[in-house]
Amino acid sequence: MKERLCPDPARLARAEPAPPASFVIFGAYGDLTKRLLIPALYNLSVAGLLAEGFEVIGVDHNERNDETYRQHLTEAMQGFVANQDGEFAADSLNSRAWGWLRDRLFYLTGDFEDPATYQRLGERLATVRQARGHGNCVFYLATAPRFFGSIVERLAEAGLMREQEGDFRRVVIEKPFGTDLASARALNAQILSLVEERQVFRIDHFLGKETVQNILALRFANGIFEPLWRREHIDHVQITAAETVGVEGRGRFYETTGALRDMVPNHMMQLLAMTAMEAPSNFGADAVRAEKAKVVQAIRPLSPEELARDLVRGQYDAGMLRGAPVPGYRQEPNVAPDSGTETYVAMKLQIDNWRWAGVPFYIRTGKRLAARWTEIAIQFKPAPYTMFRETPVDCMTPNLMVLHIQPNEGISLALSAKQPGPALHLADVRMDFRYADWFKAEPSTGYETLLYDVLIGDASLFQRADNVEAGWAAVQPMLASPPAIEHYAAGSEGPAGAEALLARDGRQWLKLA
């Protein structure tokens, strides 16, 4: 065998610090900033991936100053270390790394829709350029969705999105990007009339998970998988994103959103796209996002008859979770006592292209379920039974590959093997790969890779306008004619209709956890 010389993988894995930049967070006192963005920036500081010229400028309406903002976030970080319940899972706070970041936290009081706010922000950025020698800036919109368009408009009007002398200006927009297809198109049109597509980073934190990114490596860097990744060999695909939490005090927001709008056009469609897309010509942002858009655009819209049969909406009632009673959705604060908002959705989708014709994709996501569990399961077709006909083997168990995304990232593969003994008996066995066993995993919120990519200008893991609109187009018929709500007990696997959805096809969901 001819030896192939490959570059040193350790050298390839090392990343350089991102360019210096001002990181402006609109919604500086919001939950997202405290719980995810600042911990992610802290982890990048620990890794040495932020430049000396980096700083954070928080913008919000609260009357605060630099020191009170720093103290607020210091207390939050210390609280995360103490309770270990959230996404930030560090055992201790690195005083050097936190001190470095803390000294670079600044605060600006302002109304998001007041032009004077942007004038003061512009003056601040001009001072940074003079003092630090750069005008690079990332504007992160960690706000309510109703402010997305107006903030970009105010930034553009103030000249803050204009790039000059080699500096970059980028805007990061959180989900939900629109509430339906029409609003997503309108928001895209508004934003792209003000800035260029390359300046817009529509973020989906699911794509920061290592296993999600590893889908492309698994498929396209391993010769044994890609030839089998098609309708001739795959029976069906299951994509699950289950949560144990309820609406967590966000009843007012959730009442107008629901699980379908909140999860499917973005998170679930991105997982589907990574699983089903064709190989891009290269791993540049445009090539990857073009293939993702194509496969989502190929999803067959559900007809009225299919909506009644292949879409399930559920809402959690009171139940038991981890041995403790929890209230039903209608008993949550700011939720209508007769609410018809779904907290669970399951569906069967078909992709009308050459690779996937006839292969059903089953998707489910919901709150207050039995386990916090996100995975993609690839069920292969069973091997022919012919040669085992004269043996005690009753049936051939199909091979199953599961990509575990959270809480424990890894990949498992179920195989059939002969049991020891004189007779030919088959047993199911499993091969497991866990990231924690092979790689030293640093604490991560899932945002670190994405924030670093924004700073270096790599948009591969971010949604382009056509990606967003394709996701909403697939969901739009479900919003127009949704089926009735079913109820399920908190702590269960979901409504009975979801089990019936697969049972009609002679299949069943994998158990949560």
Side-chain angles (χ1 to χ4, degrees):
M1 180 185 296
K2 184 177 180 180
E3 183 179 0
R4 295 181 60 200
L5 298 178
C6 296
D8 172 19
R11 180 181 63 80
L12 292 177
R14 287 194 292 269
E16 296 295 326
S22 296
F23 196 90
V24 179
I25 304 176
F26 288 91
Y29 268 84
D31 184 64
L32 173 64
T33 299
K34 176 181 69 175
R35 187 169 51 87
L36 293 170
L37 299 185
I38 295 301
L41 291 173
Y42 162 81
N43 286 336
L44 290 177
S45 172
V46 171
L49 293 178
L50 298 179
E52 278 299 316
F54 179 84
E55 68 173 9
V56 174
I57 303 173
V59 181
D60 219 325
H61 65 274
N62 309 68
E63 289 287 346
R64 300 289 191 272
N65 57 38
D66 295 346
E67 192 51 43
T68 55
Y69 188 50
R70 293 169 181 174
Q71 186 60 31
H72 164 71
L73 292 176
T74 298
E75 292 172 358
M77 292 293 290
Q78 291 170 340
F80 296 147
V81 170
N83 65 35
Q84 294 284 296
D85 281 340
E87 290 86 346
F88 183 68
D91 296 325
S92 62
L93 202 59
N94 182 314
S95 58
R96 180 198 59 79
W98 177 247
W100 184 94
L101 183 59
R102 185 188 188 280
D103 291 344
R104 288 164 171 77
L105 297 173
F106 302 94
Y107 186 77
L108 188 152
T109 302
D111 186 310
F112 300 152
E113 297 186 315
D114 184 356
T117 299
Y118 300 85
Q119 181 180 347
R120 293 196 302 275
L121 179 58
E123 292 168 356
R124 165 71 196 185
L125 295 176
T127 302
V128 171
R129 181 175 182 80
Q130 188 174 21
R132 299 186 182 271
H134 73 81
N136 297 330
C137 195
V138 172
F139 301 100
Y140 200 109
L141 276 50
T143 69
R146 68 179 184 274
F147 293 116
F148 292 167
S150 61
I151 289 177
V152 177
E153 197 166 307
R154 298 289 187 275
L155 288 169
E157 288 173 351
L160 298 182
M161 292 303 301
R162 190 181 306 120
E163 297 176 325
Q164 55 187 348
E165 300 179 24
D167 295 332
F168 63 74
R169 295 293 169 99
R170 298 168 185 148
V171 60
V172 184
I173 303 177
E174 273 283 347
K175 76 169 186 73
F177 195 94
T179 57
D180 55 18
L181 179 58
S183 61
R185 283 174 172 165
L187 184 55
N188 271 328
Q190 180 185 12
I191 290 171
L192 295 180
S193 70
L194 302 164
V195 298
E196 297 183 36
E197 174 66 50
R198 62 177 177 78
Q199 294 178 278
V200 183
F201 289 70
R202 301 169 189 82
I203 194 167
D204 184 341
H205 75 271
F206 261 42
L207 298 189
K209 302 288 186 183
E210 286 292 345
T211 309
V212 175
Q213 297 175 58
N214 196 45
I215 295 171
L216 299 186
L218 174 78
R219 291 185 57 192
F220 304 129
N222 296 287
I224 62 173
F225 295 127
E226 182 57 21
L228 305 178
W229 214 265
R230 54 195 316 108
R231 59 187 169 85
E232 289 87 352
H233 303 287
I234 291 178
D235 178 77
H236 73 279
V237 177
Q238 296 182 23
I239 303 177
T240 298
E243 299 178 278
T244 55
V245 297
V247 292
E248 302 298 289
R250 298 163 67 234
R252 186 172 288 108
F253 161 79
Y254 210 80
E255 275 287 82
T256 60
T257 306
L260 187 56
R261 283 183 167 92
D262 188 40
M263 292 290 289
V264 178
N266 39 69
H267 292 336
M268 308 309 287
M269 287 299 170
Q270 286 298 300
L271 295 180
L272 181 147
M274 299 282 271
T275 305
M277 64 187 277
E278 295 295 326
S281 58
N282 58 69
F283 281 111
D286 282 340
V288 171
R289 297 193 294 181
E291 294 302 335
K292 286 164 64 176
K294 285 179 188 176
V295 76
V296 177
Q297 289 164 354
I299 294 173
R300 182 194 307 163
L302 295 180
S303 66
E305 295 77 16
E306 290 169 328
L307 281 169
R309 185 187 68 228
D310 295 340
L311 175 64
V312 177
R313 296 166 68 238
Q315 185 186 94
Y316 66 83
D317 288 334
M320 299 291 292
L321 196 59
R322 298 171 182 165
V326 293
Y329 175 71
R330 292 179 178 179
Q331 287 76 56
E332 299 278 12
N334 299 312
V335 170
D338 59 349
S339 173
T341 299
E342 78 280 349
T343 61
Y344 177 103
V345 64
M347 64 191 67
K348 173 184 174 182
L349 298 176
Q350 299 277 352
I351 299 175
D352 283 340
N353 65 15
W354 191 263
R355 180 185 291 266
W356 295 110
V359 178
F361 281 70
Y362 299 102
I363 293 174
R364 60 175 170 170
T365 180
K367 292 185 176 295
R368 286 281 190 237
L369 294 173
R372 176 174 173 259
W373 204 254
T374 302
E375 67 183 15
I376 300 169
I378 313 296
Q379 178 77 71
F380 291 92
K381 292 181 177 179
Y385 179 67
T386 307
M387 66 181 295
F388 293 92
R389 189 172 293 139
E390 305 302 324
T391 73
V393 176
D394 294 325
C395 62
M396 303 299 297
T397 303
N399 300 125
L400 177 69
M401 175 181 285
V402 182
L403 312 180
H404 305 281
I405 296 170
Q406 66 180 15
N408 300 311
E409 295 183 295
I411 302 169
S412 65
L413 181 61
L415 306 168
S416 293
K418 178 186 175 298
Q419 294 186 38
L424 180 59
H425 289 284
L426 297 183
D428 296 336
V429 298
R430 198 171 85 166
M431 295 193 300
D432 286 313
F433 155 67
R434 295 195 311 162
Y435 272 89
D437 293 338
W438 285 88
F439 304 109
K440 185 179 185 303
E442 299 295 338
S444 171
T445 67
Y447 272 76
E448 289 80 2
T449 296
L450 300 174
L451 297 186
Y452 178 77
D453 283 354
V454 172
L455 290 167
I456 66 173
D458 184 350
S460 302
L461 296 177
F462 296 83
Q463 296 198 69
R464 206 168 56 187
D466 55 348
N467 297 151
V468 170
E469 293 176 16
W472 278 116
V475 168
Q476 190 60 41
M478 308 177 199
L479 299 174
S481 302
I485 287 283
E486 297 184 37
H487 291 268
Y488 63 97
S492 70
E493 299 258 337
E499 297 297 332
L501 175 65
L502 271 71
R504 283 195 297 269
D505 297 338
R507 304 179 176 105
Q508 62 183 12
W509 292 108
L510 298 184
K511 290 294 182 183
L512 296 178

